[in-house]
Amino acid sequence: QVRLVESGGGSVQAGGSLRLSCAMNVDIYCMSWFRQVPGKEREGVATITRDGLTTYADSMKGRFTISKDSAKKILYLQMNSLGPEDTAVYYCAANSRDCKSLRSVVFPYWGQGTQLTVSS
């Protein structure tokens, strides 16, 4: 069974940076980050394949960087130039087949989420 555990969320000032981590218990083909604001649909942030190929949502390019440490089975999301609009619960997710899609429905495995709050 795939287990994903996020960490690193918290409160930051606008303009600041934060790095999220997601520990996994297996090596799986596609790993990703999503985020969700209450009352809105879960939004794809970025994906990364086992080989390191990345895909970003257009609105995240340039500020967010997805990476991984394969040996430690940890997924990261480096977030820079944060603004209040980035406030959300951030989830890591994984699937074994499709790493080009940022649609949540293609990801069967999810962590519990970690809250990021950005204050102005």
Side-chain angles (χ1 to χ4, degrees):
Q1 183 162 351
V2 178
R3 291 196 305 273
L4 310 173
V5 180
E6 302 96 335
S7 61
S11 298
V12 297
Q13 297 273 352
S17 298
L18 200 70
R19 189 178 76 165
L20 304 180
S21 300
C22 174
M24 297 170 283
N25 65 330
V26 296
D27 179 21
I28 195 164
Y29 172 66
C30 179
M31 295 144 281
S32 65
W33 288 100
F34 286 77
R35 68 184 187 182
Q36 189 169 26
V37 175
K40 293 190 176 182
E41 290 189 2
R42 201 162 288 189
E43 176 185 27
V45 174
T47 67
I48 187 168
T49 69
R50 183 183 286 130
D51 296 329
L53 298 176
T54 58
T55 300
Y56 290 91
D58 287 342
S59 60
M60 314 296 173
K61 290 179 181 177
R63 293 193 304 125
F64 291 7
T65 303
I66 190 171
S67 63
K68 62 186 179 65
D69 184 326
S70 297
K72 296 181 179 179
K73 297 188 183 65
I74 298 178
L75 177 70
Y76 299 106
L77 183 68
Q78 177 67 43
M79 303 180 289
N80 300 324
S81 301
L82 289 165
E85 67 277 10
D86 296 312
T87 295
V89 177
Y90 284 74
Y91 297 90
C92 66
N95 79 60
S96 59
R97 299 179 61 184
D98 180 358
C99 218
K100 293 184 178 180
S101 174
L102 284 167
R103 296 183 303 134
S104 59
V105 293
V106 305
F107 290 87
Y109 309 112
W110 292 86
Q112 83 287 351
T114 186
Q115 175 73 46
L116 168 65
T117 302
V118 184
S119 56
S120 57

